[in-house]
Amino acid sequence: MNSKDNQGPLWEVFIQSKPGLPYKHAGSLHAYDKAMAIDNARDVYTRRKEGVGLWVVPSDQIVSVQPKDAEAFFDPADDKVYRHPTFYTMPEGAQHI
Amino acid sequence: MHFKKLEEEDPKKLEAFQARIDAEERIEPKDWMPDAYRYHNIRQISQHAHSEVIGMQPEGNWLTRAPSLRSKKILLAKIQDEAGHGLYLYCAAETLGVSRDTYIQWLHEGKAKYSSIFNYPTLNWADMGAIGWLVDGAAIVNQVSLTRTSYGPYARAMVRICKEESFHQRQGYEIMTRMMNGTKEQRQMAQDALDRFWWPSLMMFGPHDTDSPRSKLALQWKIKRATNDELRQKFIDKTIPQAELIGLKIPDPELELQADGSYKTGEINWEEFYNVIKGNGPCNRERLAHHREAHARGAWVRKACTAFNEKYKGELVLN
C-alpha cells in the first residue's frame, strides 16, 4: 500500500440486527481511526436500520484459522459423538428428557 | 503481479478446486484458488465496483435540478446507495490481494473498465427515469444471478446490493409513469429517454455468448451463473410489458413476440458497443477526468488523516 496516499487501514464490520441476537459480520471498510470507522460503518452498512448495535474491529487484529490447517485444527471434535444428546439410548416410554 | 496460466497449475489442485465448485461450496479469500480464477474475479468485481462509483456521475448531474424536494431526496438516497455498493464491492475485490489504491490507479490508467452505459449523457429529467428503470433494472437481473456466484465475499456483497437496488428500479419506473401520465411534452421526453437508453441497456449484458471468450471458464467455475444472452433475454422479457403498460414504445422495428411468450429483438449495434468500450463514447473522457480530479482533490484529506493517525495511533478517539 502506498503510505503517502492511501485509504487508511481496513476494519471489519459486525452488526447486531435486534437486541439479544448475536453480532454478525457484514463486511469491511477503510478508515483512519475508530471514530471514522464507526461513522463509516453506519453510513455504509446500516442505511436502512439494519442494526441496533455495531462493532468495528481492525482487520489485522483478528486471529483466524488458516483453511489449510482447518482439518487438523478442528479434528479433536471429530470423534466425540457422545457430546450430542442423540448418542444416548433412552428407555421406551421415557418422557420430557 | 504475476498470474499463473491455467496449464501451469497443479492438475490435482485444479481437480479438487473444481470438485468444491461442483459441490456448490463457496470459495473464501484464504482458500487455494487457481490464479486464473483469482484474476477473473479481480477483473470482474473491480469493474463492477468502478461501475457503481462512476454511475453516480450521470445522476449527480440532475441532483440540483430535480423537479421537487421529494424527487431530490430520493435521488440523493439512490446516489448514496451507489457509493455504498461501490464500497461493498471494493472490499470484496480487496480480499483477492489487490489494494484499494491499486484498483483506483488501474481505473485512472484505463487498465480497468466500468460499465459502458455510464458513458452516455443524461440530457433531461426523464433520463433519471430511464436510468433507474432500465439501467438499474438490467443491473438487478445480472446481480440476482450473481448472489450465487462461487466467490464468497462477492456473493455476500451481491445479496446486500440486491436488497437495496429494487427501490432504484421502482423510483425510475415511477418517474417514467408520472411523465407518461403528464403533458404531451412530458410523454415525448419519456419516449425520447427510452429511445436513447434502450439499446445501451441491452449492451450492458456484454457480447453474445458466441463472442464472449472468457465466459466458458467463468461458467465452469460458477463465477457467472448464467450467460450474457440468457440474462439479456430475461431483462427484455420482463421490461417490454412494463413499457407497454405505461404506453411507451420500444425503439425496435424488428421486435417480435414469439410463441413461447418471449421477445425476439433486432440485432444490437455491436460496433457502437466496442467503440464506447474503447473509450470513444460520448462521455468517457469526462467521466474519467472527473473521477481523477475528485480523487486528487481528496489527496490532502487522506494525507492529513494518515499523518494524524500515525501520530496518535487512533488513541484520541472513542473510549
Side-chain angles (χ1 to χ4, degrees):
Chain A
M1 194 156 58
N2 177 352
S3 63
K4 290 280 184 292
D5 184 9
N6 64 41
Q7 314 265 331
L10 196 64
W11 304 69
E12 300 300 324
V13 179
F14 299 83
I15 299 174
Q16 185 187 36
S17 58
K18 280 185 192 139
L21 291 183
Y23 281 72
K24 208 171 151 190
H25 184 243
S28 54
L29 52 79
H30 287 270
Y32 294 93
D33 57 40
K34 293 176 193 172
M36 189 187 280
I38 202 92
D39 281 353
N40 285 0
R42 178 197 59 197
D43 294 345
V44 177
Y45 288 98
T46 61
R47 285 193 303 283
R48 288 173 176 78
K49 301 178 94 174
E50 285 90 341
V52 294
L54 194 58
W55 291 346
V56 286
V57 183
S59 304
D60 63 5
Q61 297 296 306
I62 291 179
V63 182
S64 65
V65 183
Q66 298 302 306
K68 65 176 171 54
D69 303 330
E71 203 182 326
F73 184 83
F74 292 111
D75 180 65
D78 224 24
D79 57 355
K80 294 177 182 64
V81 279
Y82 47 85
R83 281 182 173 152
H84 297 280
T86 47
F87 176 75
Y88 300 91
T89 316
M90 293 293 106
E92 193 78 29
Q95 285 181 347
H96 310 300
I97 182 161
Chain B
M1 263 181 119
H2 173 74
F3 294 95
K4 272 193 212 167
K5 290 203 180 80
L6 200 52
E7 52 273 22
E8 295 171 64
E9 301 279 7
D10 177 352
K12 280 215 174 70
K13 280 188 175 171
L14 271 182
E15 203 180 305
F17 181 78
Q18 189 64 51
R20 290 191 64 196
I21 298 278
D22 293 343
E24 293 293 328
E25 275 182 42
R26 294 289 174 265
I27 307 302
E28 293 299 331
K30 287 178 176 165
D31 294 347
W32 185 86
M33 62 186 90
D35 273 7
Y37 178 87
R38 184 182 298 276
Y39 180 77
H40 192 106
N41 273 295
I42 285 174
R43 205 182 135 273
Q44 182 170 332
I45 304 173
S46 67
Q47 177 174 331
H48 203 154
H50 297 323
S51 301
E52 298 282 356
V53 171
I54 297 286
M56 293 194 284
Q57 290 186 40
E59 295 186 310
N61 187 34
W62 282 91
L63 259 183
T64 55
R65 288 171 283 173
S68 68
L69 195 54
R70 178 185 186 269
S71 53
K72 181 174 184 162
K73 216 163 60 173
I74 292 171
L75 188 61
L76 197 59
K78 179 174 187 289
I79 295 171
Q80 195 189 13
D81 273 354
E82 309 299 2
H85 297 173
L87 292 175
Y88 304 155
L89 285 160
Y90 280 127
C91 285
E94 281 178 275
T95 63
L96 292 157
V98 178
S99 74
R100 178 84 56 97
D101 313 283
T102 308
Y103 280 123
I104 291 172
Q105 191 188 329
W106 286 347
L107 174 68
H108 289 173
E109 288 170 353
K111 279 187 202 162
K113 304 276 185 215
Y114 54 87
S115 181
S116 58
I117 190 84
F118 301 118
N119 291 317
Y120 291 86
T122 45
L123 305 178
N124 60 52
W125 179 253
D127 289 7
M128 294 303 97
I131 286 189
W133 173 42
L134 299 172
V135 176
D136 289 79
I140 289 170
V141 169
N142 186 34
Q143 288 169 166
V144 165
S145 149
L146 285 172
T147 57
R148 292 166 57 243
T149 186
S150 61
Y151 188 55
Y154 193 22
R156 290 191 285 275
M158 280 301 115
V159 171
R160 296 192 69 87
I161 289 175
C162 284
K163 270 189 200 156
E164 300 182 359
E165 198 101 18
S166 55
F167 118 63
H168 297 184
Q169 197 193 8
R170 293 177 72 132
Q171 72 93 29
Y173 192 54
E174 190 194 77
I175 291 174
M176 292 305 251
T177 307
R178 283 184 164 206
M179 294 192 109
M180 290 308 284
N181 290 333
T183 62
K184 189 175 162 225
E185 285 77 13
Q186 285 173 318
R187 284 195 294 278
Q188 278 169 353
M189 274 170 79
Q191 182 63 52
D192 164 66
L194 172 63
D195 290 350
R196 281 181 289 110
F197 278 96
W198 172 252
W199 290 105
S201 301
L202 299 192
M203 293 176 200
M204 281 176 70
F205 296 93
H208 283 311
D209 299 345
T210 42
D211 302 320
S212 183
R214 274 185 289 263
S215 281
K216 190 174 166 276
L217 208 51
L219 286 165
Q220 183 191 320
W221 281 335
K222 299 186 181 175
I223 299 172
K224 284 175 129 176
R225 305 297 307 227
T227 71
N228 296 354
D229 285 330
E230 285 165 2
L231 294 169
R232 183 166 21 240
Q233 192 61 47
K234 206 174 254 184
F235 171 71
I236 290 168
D237 291 342
K238 72 176 199 160
T239 306
I240 290 175
Q242 292 167 359
E244 285 170 351
L245 182 70
I246 57 173
L248 285 163
K249 195 176 174 316
I250 301 291
D252 179 356
E254 291 170 56
L255 192 69
E256 223 181 279
L257 179 61
Q258 301 183 108
D260 65 355
S262 75
Y263 289 87
K264 190 170 180 298
T265 64
E267 192 47 271
I268 291 167
N269 181 350
W270 293 111
E271 202 181 319
E272 176 183 328
F273 172 74
Y274 288 111
N275 197 38
V276 177
I277 283 192
K278 265 186 227 141
N280 302 321
C283 299
N284 295 55
R285 286 169 195 84
E286 187 187 326
R287 301 289 187 239
L288 258 191
H290 183 81
H291 193 280
R292 277 196 207 100
E293 194 194 323
H295 191 67
R297 272 206 306 256
W300 71 271
V301 179
R302 294 188 295 276
K303 213 169 149 187
C305 288
T306 306
F308 181 87
N309 196 38
E310 272 167 14
K311 193 166 178 186
Y312 295 105
K313 303 276 172 240
E315 289 306 320
L316 277 182
V317 284
L318 275 190
N319 48 65

PDB file of all heavy atoms in Angstrom, chain B residues 129 133 172-182 187 190-191 194 239-249:
ATOM      1  N   GLY B 129     -35.430   8.750 -14.975  1.00  0.00           N
ATOM      2  CA  GLY B 129     -36.386   7.656 -15.008  1.00  0.00           C
ATOM      3  C   GLY B 129     -35.852   6.472 -15.800  1.00  0.00           C
ATOM      4  O   GLY B 129     -35.890   5.331 -15.342  1.00  0.00           O
ATOM      5  N   TRP B 133     -35.059   2.799 -14.192  1.00  0.00           N
ATOM      6  CA  TRP B 133     -35.892   1.697 -14.684  1.00  0.00           C
ATOM      7  C   TRP B 133     -35.076   0.698 -15.507  1.00  0.00           C
ATOM      8  O   TRP B 133     -35.109  -0.515 -15.255  1.00  0.00           O
ATOM      9  CB  TRP B 133     -37.042   2.288 -15.510  1.00  0.00           C
ATOM     10  CG  TRP B 133     -37.901   1.285 -16.226  1.00  0.00           C
ATOM     11  CD1 TRP B 133     -38.358   0.099 -15.738  1.00  0.00           C
ATOM     12  CD2 TRP B 133     -38.416   1.416 -17.559  1.00  0.00           C
ATOM     13  NE1 TRP B 133     -39.129  -0.528 -16.689  1.00  0.00           N
ATOM     14  CE2 TRP B 133     -39.182   0.248 -17.806  1.00  0.00           C
ATOM     15  CE3 TRP B 133     -38.313   2.388 -18.549  1.00  0.00           C
ATOM     16  CZ2 TRP B 133     -39.836   0.044 -19.029  1.00  0.00           C
ATOM     17  CZ3 TRP B 133     -38.973   2.188 -19.748  1.00  0.00           C
ATOM     18  CH2 TRP B 133     -39.722   1.030 -19.988  1.00  0.00           C
ATOM     19  N   GLY B 172     -37.239   4.724 -10.743  1.00  0.00           N
ATOM     20  CA  GLY B 172     -37.109   5.067 -12.158  1.00  0.00           C
ATOM     21  C   GLY B 172     -38.410   4.864 -12.909  1.00  0.00           C
ATOM     22  O   GLY B 172     -38.848   5.720 -13.685  1.00  0.00           O
ATOM     23  N   TYR B 173     -39.039   3.721 -12.643  1.00  0.00           N
ATOM     24  CA  TYR B 173     -40.297   3.404 -13.325  1.00  0.00           C
ATOM     25  C   TYR B 173     -41.396   4.376 -12.906  1.00  0.00           C
ATOM     26  O   TYR B 173     -42.241   4.760 -13.711  1.00  0.00           O
ATOM     27  CB  TYR B 173     -40.677   1.952 -13.025  1.00  0.00           C
ATOM     28  CG  TYR B 173     -41.799   1.402 -13.880  1.00  0.00           C
ATOM     29  CD1 TYR B 173     -41.734   1.442 -15.270  1.00  0.00           C
ATOM     30  CD2 TYR B 173     -42.916   0.811 -13.284  1.00  0.00           C
ATOM     31  CE1 TYR B 173     -42.765   0.917 -16.043  1.00  0.00           C
ATOM     32  CE2 TYR B 173     -43.940   0.280 -14.046  1.00  0.00           C
ATOM     33  CZ  TYR B 173     -43.867   0.341 -15.435  1.00  0.00           C
ATOM     34  OH  TYR B 173     -44.879  -0.194 -16.193  1.00  0.00           O
ATOM     35  N   GLU B 174     -41.343   4.803 -11.656  1.00  0.00           N
ATOM     36  CA  GLU B 174     -42.325   5.790 -11.184  1.00  0.00           C
ATOM     37  C   GLU B 174     -42.173   7.116 -11.932  1.00  0.00           C
ATOM     38  O   GLU B 174     -43.160   7.736 -12.339  1.00  0.00           O
ATOM     39  CB  GLU B 174     -42.185   6.018  -9.677  1.00  0.00           C
ATOM     40  CG  GLU B 174     -43.325   6.834  -9.103  1.00  0.00           C
ATOM     41  CD  GLU B 174     -43.054   7.355  -7.694  1.00  0.00           C
ATOM     42  OE1 GLU B 174     -42.285   8.342  -7.551  1.00  0.00           O
ATOM     43  OE2 GLU B 174     -43.587   6.783  -6.744  1.00  0.00           O
ATOM     44  N   ILE B 175     -40.920   7.536 -12.143  1.00  0.00           N
ATOM     45  CA  ILE B 175     -40.685   8.779 -12.898  1.00  0.00           C
ATOM     46  C   ILE B 175     -41.261   8.649 -14.310  1.00  0.00           C
ATOM     47  O   ILE B 175     -41.963   9.526 -14.805  1.00  0.00           O
ATOM     48  CB  ILE B 175     -39.166   9.101 -12.966  1.00  0.00           C
ATOM     49  CG1 ILE B 175     -38.643   9.499 -11.587  1.00  0.00           C
ATOM     50  CG2 ILE B 175     -38.889  10.218 -13.985  1.00  0.00           C
ATOM     51  CD1 ILE B 175     -37.124   9.695 -11.522  1.00  0.00           C
ATOM     52  N   MET B 176     -40.977   7.501 -14.955  1.00  0.00           N
ATOM     53  CA  MET B 176     -41.477   7.287 -16.315  1.00  0.00           C
ATOM     54  C   MET B 176     -43.008   7.291 -16.326  1.00  0.00           C
ATOM     55  O   MET B 176     -43.634   7.903 -17.196  1.00  0.00           O
ATOM     56  CB  MET B 176     -40.964   5.946 -16.864  1.00  0.00           C
ATOM     57  CG  MET B 176     -39.465   5.886 -17.113  1.00  0.00           C
ATOM     58  SD  MET B 176     -38.870   7.206 -18.182  1.00  0.00           S
ATOM     59  CE  MET B 176     -38.491   6.315 -19.674  1.00  0.00           C
ATOM     60  N   THR B 177     -43.617   6.625 -15.349  1.00  0.00           N
ATOM     61  CA  THR B 177     -45.079   6.545 -15.281  1.00  0.00           C
ATOM     62  C   THR B 177     -45.684   7.940 -15.121  1.00  0.00           C
ATOM     63  O   THR B 177     -46.648   8.299 -15.802  1.00  0.00           O
ATOM     64  CB  THR B 177     -45.502   5.660 -14.085  1.00  0.00           C
ATOM     65  OG1 THR B 177     -44.823   4.421 -14.183  1.00  0.00           O
ATOM     66  CG2 THR B 177     -47.004   5.401 -14.097  1.00  0.00           C
ATOM     67  N   ARG B 178     -45.096   8.716 -14.211  1.00  0.00           N
ATOM     68  CA  ARG B 178     -45.618  10.070 -13.994  1.00  0.00           C
ATOM     69  C   ARG B 178     -45.530  10.903 -15.268  1.00  0.00           C
ATOM     70  O   ARG B 178     -46.453  11.648 -15.590  1.00  0.00           O
ATOM     71  CB  ARG B 178     -44.810  10.770 -12.905  1.00  0.00           C
ATOM     72  CG  ARG B 178     -45.182  10.282 -11.537  1.00  0.00           C
ATOM     73  CD  ARG B 178     -44.425  11.067 -10.497  1.00  0.00           C
ATOM     74  NE  ARG B 178     -45.068  10.866  -9.206  1.00  0.00           N
ATOM     75  CZ  ARG B 178     -45.016  11.730  -8.210  1.00  0.00           C
ATOM     76  NH1 ARG B 178     -44.362  12.859  -8.346  1.00  0.00           N
ATOM     77  NH2 ARG B 178     -45.613  11.474  -7.072  1.00  0.00           N
ATOM     78  N   MET B 179     -44.422  10.769 -15.972  1.00  0.00           N
ATOM     79  CA  MET B 179     -44.276  11.551 -17.204  1.00  0.00           C
ATOM     80  C   MET B 179     -45.261  11.082 -18.260  1.00  0.00           C
ATOM     81  O   MET B 179     -45.821  11.890 -19.007  1.00  0.00           O
ATOM     82  CB  MET B 179     -42.844  11.473 -17.719  1.00  0.00           C
ATOM     83  CG  MET B 179     -41.871  12.158 -16.770  1.00  0.00           C
ATOM     84  SD  MET B 179     -40.255  12.396 -17.497  1.00  0.00           S
ATOM     85  CE  MET B 179     -40.256  14.150 -17.714  1.00  0.00           C
ATOM     86  N   MET B 180     -45.500   9.775 -18.329  1.00  0.00           N
ATOM     87  CA  MET B 180     -46.451   9.254 -19.314  1.00  0.00           C
ATOM     88  C   MET B 180     -47.888   9.663 -18.979  1.00  0.00           C
ATOM     89  O   MET B 180     -48.755   9.684 -19.847  1.00  0.00           O
ATOM     90  CB  MET B 180     -46.329   7.731 -19.425  1.00  0.00           C
ATOM     91  CG  MET B 180     -45.034   7.259 -20.078  1.00  0.00           C
ATOM     92  SD  MET B 180     -44.689   8.050 -21.669  1.00  0.00           S
ATOM     93  CE  MET B 180     -45.854   7.187 -22.730  1.00  0.00           C
ATOM     94  N   ASN B 181     -48.133   9.975 -17.709  1.00  0.00           N
ATOM     95  CA  ASN B 181     -49.457  10.478 -17.316  1.00  0.00           C
ATOM     96  C   ASN B 181     -49.529  12.001 -17.384  1.00  0.00           C
ATOM     97  O   ASN B 181     -50.529  12.591 -16.988  1.00  0.00           O
ATOM     98  CB  ASN B 181     -49.793  10.038 -15.878  1.00  0.00           C
ATOM     99  CG  ASN B 181     -50.056   8.545 -15.805  1.00  0.00           C
ATOM    100  OD1 ASN B 181     -50.479   7.939 -16.791  1.00  0.00           O
ATOM    101  ND2 ASN B 181     -49.792   7.948 -14.661  1.00  0.00           N
ATOM    102  N   GLY B 182     -48.468  12.637 -17.860  1.00  0.00           N
ATOM    103  CA  GLY B 182     -48.406  14.093 -17.854  1.00  0.00           C
ATOM    104  C   GLY B 182     -48.803  14.707 -19.190  1.00  0.00           C
ATOM    105  O   GLY B 182     -49.647  14.181 -19.923  1.00  0.00           O
ATOM    106  N   ARG B 187     -44.634  13.229 -22.150  1.00  0.00           N
ATOM    107  CA  ARG B 187     -44.672  11.892 -22.763  1.00  0.00           C
ATOM    108  C   ARG B 187     -43.581  11.756 -23.824  1.00  0.00           C
ATOM    109  O   ARG B 187     -42.922  10.726 -23.922  1.00  0.00           O
ATOM    110  CB  ARG B 187     -46.050  11.620 -23.373  1.00  0.00           C
ATOM    111  CG  ARG B 187     -47.119  11.289 -22.344  1.00  0.00           C
ATOM    112  CD  ARG B 187     -48.363  10.673 -22.974  1.00  0.00           C
ATOM    113  NE  ARG B 187     -49.086  11.586 -23.837  1.00  0.00           N
ATOM    114  CZ  ARG B 187     -49.958  12.507 -23.399  1.00  0.00           C
ATOM    115  NH1 ARG B 187     -50.219  12.618 -22.107  1.00  0.00           N
ATOM    116  NH2 ARG B 187     -50.585  13.299 -24.242  1.00  0.00           N
ATOM    117  N   ALA B 190     -40.235  11.232 -22.084  1.00  0.00           N
ATOM    118  CA  ALA B 190     -40.075   9.865 -21.575  1.00  0.00           C
ATOM    119  C   ALA B 190     -39.746   8.914 -22.725  1.00  0.00           C
ATOM    120  O   ALA B 190     -38.843   8.068 -22.613  1.00  0.00           O
ATOM    121  CB  ALA B 190     -41.344   9.423 -20.854  1.00  0.00           C
ATOM    122  N   GLN B 191     -40.470   9.072 -23.844  1.00  0.00           N
ATOM    123  CA  GLN B 191     -40.213   8.207 -25.008  1.00  0.00           C
ATOM    124  C   GLN B 191     -38.799   8.432 -25.554  1.00  0.00           C
ATOM    125  O   GLN B 191     -38.092   7.488 -25.885  1.00  0.00           O
ATOM    126  CB  GLN B 191     -41.252   8.472 -26.105  1.00  0.00           C
ATOM    127  CG  GLN B 191     -41.095   7.580 -27.333  1.00  0.00           C
ATOM    128  CD  GLN B 191     -41.292   6.098 -27.023  1.00  0.00           C
ATOM    129  OE1 GLN B 191     -42.284   5.704 -26.429  1.00  0.00           O
ATOM    130  NE2 GLN B 191     -40.311   5.271 -27.403  1.00  0.00           N
ATOM    131  N   LEU B 194     -36.306   6.666 -23.368  1.00  0.00           N
ATOM    132  CA  LEU B 194     -36.306   5.226 -23.660  1.00  0.00           C
ATOM    133  C   LEU B 194     -35.575   4.957 -24.984  1.00  0.00           C
ATOM    134  O   LEU B 194     -34.771   4.025 -25.081  1.00  0.00           O
ATOM    135  CB  LEU B 194     -37.749   4.691 -23.734  1.00  0.00           C
ATOM    136  CG  LEU B 194     -37.896   3.240 -24.228  1.00  0.00           C
ATOM    137  CD1 LEU B 194     -37.206   2.264 -23.279  1.00  0.00           C
ATOM    138  CD2 LEU B 194     -39.363   2.861 -24.398  1.00  0.00           C
ATOM    139  N   THR B 239     -39.078  -6.383 -19.211  1.00  0.00           N
ATOM    140  CA  THR B 239     -39.159  -4.932 -19.373  1.00  0.00           C
ATOM    141  C   THR B 239     -40.198  -4.506 -20.409  1.00  0.00           C
ATOM    142  O   THR B 239     -40.871  -3.487 -20.234  1.00  0.00           O
ATOM    143  CB  THR B 239     -37.770  -4.380 -19.765  1.00  0.00           C
ATOM    144  OG1 THR B 239     -36.817  -4.825 -18.789  1.00  0.00           O
ATOM    145  CG2 THR B 239     -37.754  -2.869 -19.779  1.00  0.00           C
ATOM    146  N   ILE B 240     -40.334  -5.279 -21.471  1.00  0.00           N
ATOM    147  CA  ILE B 240     -41.245  -4.867 -22.550  1.00  0.00           C
ATOM    148  C   ILE B 240     -42.698  -4.701 -22.059  1.00  0.00           C
ATOM    149  O   ILE B 240     -43.323  -3.670 -22.333  1.00  0.00           O
ATOM    150  CB  ILE B 240     -41.114  -5.811 -23.770  1.00  0.00           C
ATOM    151  CG1 ILE B 240     -39.742  -5.545 -24.409  1.00  0.00           C
ATOM    152  CG2 ILE B 240     -42.247  -5.581 -24.770  1.00  0.00           C
ATOM    153  CD1 ILE B 240     -39.379  -6.446 -25.554  1.00  0.00           C
ATOM    154  N   PRO B 241     -43.224  -5.669 -21.283  1.00  0.00           N
ATOM    155  CA  PRO B 241     -44.590  -5.444 -20.774  1.00  0.00           C
ATOM    156  C   PRO B 241     -44.693  -4.198 -19.882  1.00  0.00           C
ATOM    157  O   PRO B 241     -45.732  -3.532 -19.878  1.00  0.00           O
ATOM    158  CB  PRO B 241     -44.880  -6.716 -19.958  1.00  0.00           C
ATOM    159  CG  PRO B 241     -43.950  -7.746 -20.506  1.00  0.00           C
ATOM    160  CD  PRO B 241     -42.721  -7.009 -20.931  1.00  0.00           C
ATOM    161  N   GLN B 242     -43.618  -3.884 -19.149  1.00  0.00           N
ATOM    162  CA  GLN B 242     -43.635  -2.672 -18.317  1.00  0.00           C
ATOM    163  C   GLN B 242     -43.724  -1.424 -19.191  1.00  0.00           C
ATOM    164  O   GLN B 242     -44.433  -0.473 -18.865  1.00  0.00           O
ATOM    165  CB  GLN B 242     -42.368  -2.611 -17.442  1.00  0.00           C
ATOM    166  CG  GLN B 242     -42.315  -3.693 -16.362  1.00  0.00           C
ATOM    167  CD  GLN B 242     -40.933  -3.825 -15.712  1.00  0.00           C
ATOM    168  OE1 GLN B 242     -39.996  -3.113 -16.071  1.00  0.00           O
ATOM    169  NE2 GLN B 242     -40.817  -4.736 -14.765  1.00  0.00           N
ATOM    170  N   ALA B 243     -43.003  -1.442 -20.320  1.00  0.00           N
ATOM    171  CA  ALA B 243     -43.055  -0.306 -21.238  1.00  0.00           C
ATOM    172  C   ALA B 243     -44.477  -0.164 -21.805  1.00  0.00           C
ATOM    173  O   ALA B 243     -45.055   0.927 -21.815  1.00  0.00           O
ATOM    174  CB  ALA B 243     -42.052  -0.504 -22.370  1.00  0.00           C
ATOM    175  N   GLU B 244     -45.035  -1.278 -22.229  1.00  0.00           N
ATOM    176  CA  GLU B 244     -46.371  -1.248 -22.854  1.00  0.00           C
ATOM    177  C   GLU B 244     -47.431  -0.768 -21.867  1.00  0.00           C
ATOM    178  O   GLU B 244     -48.336  -0.021 -22.227  1.00  0.00           O
ATOM    179  CB  GLU B 244     -46.717  -2.639 -23.389  1.00  0.00           C
ATOM    180  CG  GLU B 244     -45.948  -2.933 -24.680  1.00  0.00           C
ATOM    181  CD  GLU B 244     -46.068  -4.376 -25.127  1.00  0.00           C
ATOM    182  OE1 GLU B 244     -46.607  -5.208 -24.367  1.00  0.00           O
ATOM    183  OE2 GLU B 244     -45.589  -4.674 -26.250  1.00  0.00           O
ATOM    184  N   LEU B 245     -47.289  -1.187 -20.615  1.00  0.00           N
ATOM    185  CA  LEU B 245     -48.276  -0.829 -19.599  1.00  0.00           C
ATOM    186  C   LEU B 245     -48.453   0.684 -19.483  1.00  0.00           C
ATOM    187  O   LEU B 245     -49.552   1.174 -19.259  1.00  0.00           O
ATOM    188  CB  LEU B 245     -47.863  -1.421 -18.240  1.00  0.00           C
ATOM    189  CG  LEU B 245     -48.824  -1.166 -17.083  1.00  0.00           C
ATOM    190  CD1 LEU B 245     -50.122  -1.951 -17.261  1.00  0.00           C
ATOM    191  CD2 LEU B 245     -48.183  -1.520 -15.746  1.00  0.00           C
ATOM    192  N   ILE B 246     -47.356   1.429 -19.624  1.00  0.00           N
ATOM    193  CA  ILE B 246     -47.471   2.887 -19.461  1.00  0.00           C
ATOM    194  C   ILE B 246     -47.440   3.606 -20.807  1.00  0.00           C
ATOM    195  O   ILE B 246     -47.319   4.824 -20.865  1.00  0.00           O
ATOM    196  CB  ILE B 246     -46.393   3.435 -18.495  1.00  0.00           C
ATOM    197  CG1 ILE B 246     -44.982   3.079 -18.963  1.00  0.00           C
ATOM    198  CG2 ILE B 246     -46.621   2.930 -17.078  1.00  0.00           C
ATOM    199  CD1 ILE B 246     -43.877   3.734 -18.133  1.00  0.00           C
ATOM    200  N   GLY B 247     -47.555   2.856 -21.895  1.00  0.00           N
ATOM    201  CA  GLY B 247     -47.711   3.475 -23.207  1.00  0.00           C
ATOM    202  C   GLY B 247     -46.414   3.864 -23.902  1.00  0.00           C
ATOM    203  O   GLY B 247     -46.423   4.675 -24.824  1.00  0.00           O
ATOM    204  N   LEU B 248     -45.302   3.276 -23.480  1.00  0.00           N
ATOM    205  CA  LEU B 248     -44.032   3.550 -24.161  1.00  0.00           C
ATOM    206  C   LEU B 248     -43.817   2.540 -25.275  1.00  0.00           C
ATOM    207  O   LEU B 248     -44.237   1.382 -25.170  1.00  0.00           O
ATOM    208  CB  LEU B 248     -42.867   3.476 -23.163  1.00  0.00           C
ATOM    209  CG  LEU B 248     -42.724   4.657 -22.208  1.00  0.00           C
ATOM    210  CD1 LEU B 248     -41.821   4.277 -21.041  1.00  0.00           C
ATOM    211  CD2 LEU B 248     -42.166   5.878 -22.941  1.00  0.00           C
ATOM    212  N   LYS B 249     -43.117   2.977 -26.320  1.00  0.00           N
ATOM    213  CA  LYS B 249     -42.889   2.098 -27.460  1.00  0.00           C
ATOM    214  C   LYS B 249     -41.399   1.747 -27.521  1.00  0.00           C
ATOM    215  O   LYS B 249     -40.544   2.636 -27.545  1.00  0.00           O
ATOM    216  CB  LYS B 249     -43.312   2.838 -28.737  1.00  0.00           C
ATOM    217  CG  LYS B 249     -43.463   1.920 -29.930  1.00  0.00           C
ATOM    218  CD  LYS B 249     -43.985   2.708 -31.140  1.00  0.00           C
ATOM    219  CE  LYS B 249     -44.012   1.875 -32.408  1.00  0.00           C
ATOM    220  NZ  LYS B 249     -42.862   1.040 -32.686  1.00  0.00           N
TER     221      LYS B 249
END
